């Protein structure tokens, strides 16, 4: 692991400011920030380390991140090895016991969530495989409800006076989410069993929740860039199975998806796992899922009709 050349002492001149009554919350990625804001309301101030257009495996760590983490009361991380390549050295530089491992403000979003794709043996020859399992669990909206409850519990521990407000906001979020899950399930119901192609194994939880098949990837192995021979294999499989939709995210190489689409007649659909990565989804997990579901459903409808991309 690369050791960052910064220490908190070197950054002290940057840290002028006074504490506020609000909980200072830091989220590694923007879906956790959206949940924190939904639950915390005006009792929290939330900052995000990774940009929504940034590959969460390879975040550009900055000295300002150390300052942000040093001031935090709460850190919400995935906890399934997604941030393992860049978060530990930032925490070492921040020297904040409140959010250190086992600290009162350390929140692992994956706690209590059954992770998929847990490898029986950790073999790096299979690509960037996560020992804890597939870390993209927030693409199943049921898991967003679980994370919201975990976050509310943490806020209540740290701010007992605010606990009634956190519980009320949690209940409102869960009610809105349940209503939307029903609508999303109905929207995608006509396509149950339909196969799709994804760039990375990001959409496994989404596909399982809504009855799609997502077991063909533009990457030959997780984290390994697509190669021409592999893309030709993907094209052959798509033709054989009638796969007509390819999902791609903002930080992934669109040219690979376009090449596959040109050779199969498939539609390329821009989706994202992070609020703010698509227009109209800034800071709002439900808006993000709305956008993803509608984009995927519309593409599946169009491909079923045989329309042009």
């Amino acid at each position: 692991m690369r050791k960052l050349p910064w220490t908190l002492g070197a950054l002290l001149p940057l840290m002028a400011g006074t504490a506020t009554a609000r909980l200072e919350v830091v989220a590694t990625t923007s879906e956790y920030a959206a949940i924190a804001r939904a639950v915390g309301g005006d009792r929290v101030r939330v900052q995000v380390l990774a940009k929504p257009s940034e590959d969460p495996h390879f975040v550009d760590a900055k000295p300002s991140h150390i300052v942000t983490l040093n001031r935090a009361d709460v850190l919400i991380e995935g906890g399934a090895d997604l941030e393992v390549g860049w978060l530990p050295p930032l925490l070492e530089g921040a020297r904040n016991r409140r959010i250190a491992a086992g600290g009162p403000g350390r929140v692992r979003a994956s706690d209590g969530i059954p992770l998929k794709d847990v490898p029986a043996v950790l073999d790096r020859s299979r690509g960037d495989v996560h020992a804890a399992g597939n870390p993209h669990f927030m693409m199943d909206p049921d898991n967003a409800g679980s994370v919201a409850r975990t976050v509310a519990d943490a806020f209540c521990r740290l701010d007992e006076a605010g606990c009634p407000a956190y519980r009320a906001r949690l209940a409102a979020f869960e009610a809105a989410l349940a209503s939307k899950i029903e609508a999303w399930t109905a929207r995608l119901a006509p396509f149950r069993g339909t196969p799709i192609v994804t760039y990375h194994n990001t959409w496994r939880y989404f596909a399982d929740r809504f009855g799609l098949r997502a077991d063909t990837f533009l990457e030959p192995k997780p984290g390994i860039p697509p190669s021409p021979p592999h893309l030709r294999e993907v094209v052959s499989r798509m033709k054989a199975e009638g796969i007509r939709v390819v999902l791609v995210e903002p930080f992934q190489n669109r040219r690979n998806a376009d090449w596959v689409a040109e050779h199969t007649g498939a539609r390329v659909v821009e989706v994202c796992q992070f609020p703010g990565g698509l227009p109209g989804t800034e800071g709002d997990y439900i808006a993000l899922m709305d956008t993803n579901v509608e984009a995927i459903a519309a593409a599946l409808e169009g491909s079923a009709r045989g329309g042009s991309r």
Side-chain angles (χ1 to χ4, degrees):
M1 181 181 299
R2 184 169 62 92
K3 187 175 180 64
L4 298 181
W6 316 307
T7 65
L8 183 59
L11 296 168
L12 285 175
L14 302 176
M15 297 178 57
T18 57
T20 70
R22 295 179 295 175
L23 287 177
E24 295 289 338
V25 180
V26 176
T28 54
T29 49
S30 63
E31 76 274 44
Y32 304 134
I35 298 296
R37 293 188 184 104
V39 172
D42 61 6
R43 297 189 72 90
V44 301
R45 186 172 76 127
V46 183
Q47 299 184 75
V48 189
L49 298 180
K51 299 175 183 176
S53 58
E54 196 170 22
D55 187 334
H57 300 85
F58 307 105
V59 170
D60 183 16
K62 301 175 182 178
S64 60
H65 290 160
I66 290 181
V67 176
T68 298
L69 288 166
N70 174 263
R71 293 172 170 168
D73 300 305
V74 180
L75 169 63
I76 307 172
E77 62 167 325
D81 295 339
L82 184 66
E83 308 98 336
V84 71
W86 54 272
L87 182 60
L90 288 173
L91 288 170
E92 181 181 351
R95 301 180 185 177
N96 182 346
R97 293 182 180 179
R98 296 185 299 276
I99 60 171
R106 188 71 168 265
V107 178
R108 290 166 43 98
S110 59
D111 284 353
I113 293 176
L115 299 181
K116 300 178 184 294
D117 306 324
V118 179
V121 177
L122 190 60
D123 182 356
R124 289 303 178 187
S125 69
R126 298 179 182 178
D128 186 16
V129 177
H130 297 278
N134 189 319
H136 306 290
F137 51 85
M138 287 292 282
M139 289 295 91
D140 179 346
D142 271 353
N143 290 337
S146 176
V147 172
R149 292 188 289 275
T150 298
V151 168
D153 288 345
F155 288 174
C156 283
R157 287 196 304 270
L158 296 168
D159 176 19
E160 293 183 8
C163 194
Y166 299 138
R167 295 299 182 198
R169 293 185 66 89
L170 171 63
F173 177 78
E174 289 183 305
L177 188 64
S179 176
K180 281 294 187 177
I181 290 174
E182 184 177 354
W184 296 330
T185 301
R187 183 73 176 98
L188 291 169
F191 314 109
R192 291 190 67 85
T194 302
I196 59 176
V197 170
T198 69
Y199 196 102
H200 180 73
N201 193 11
T202 305
W203 297 88
R204 171 97 148 87
Y205 294 89
F206 182 98
D208 285 359
R209 168 56 52 198
F210 297 113
L212 304 176
R213 276 181 47 212
D215 52 13
T216 301
F217 312 106
L218 296 186
E219 291 179 335
K221 298 177 182 179
I224 305 300
S227 64
H230 176 72
L231 291 178
R232 287 192 290 270
E233 290 178 8
V234 170
V235 166
S236 296
R237 182 171 181 179
M238 290 176 69
K239 290 179 177 179
E241 299 186 16
I243 306 176
R244 302 294 299 278
V245 170
V246 181
L247 306 188
V248 63
E249 298 191 60
F251 52 83
Q252 294 164 345
N253 190 332
R254 170 73 187 245
R255 288 177 297 176
N256 292 311
D258 286 338
W259 186 89
V260 166
E262 288 174 8
H263 288 78
T264 60
R267 292 166 178 254
V268 177
V269 183
E270 293 184 357
V271 292
C272 192
Q273 58 188 304
F274 304 117
L278 297 173
T281 67
E282 291 77 8
D284 190 331
Y285 175 83
I286 289 178
L288 173 75
M289 294 301 293
D290 256 338
T291 301
N292 284 328
V293 168
E294 183 54 35
I296 293 168
L300 290 170
E301 281 178 341
S303 65
R305 291 194 302 264
S308 61
R309 294 190 299 276

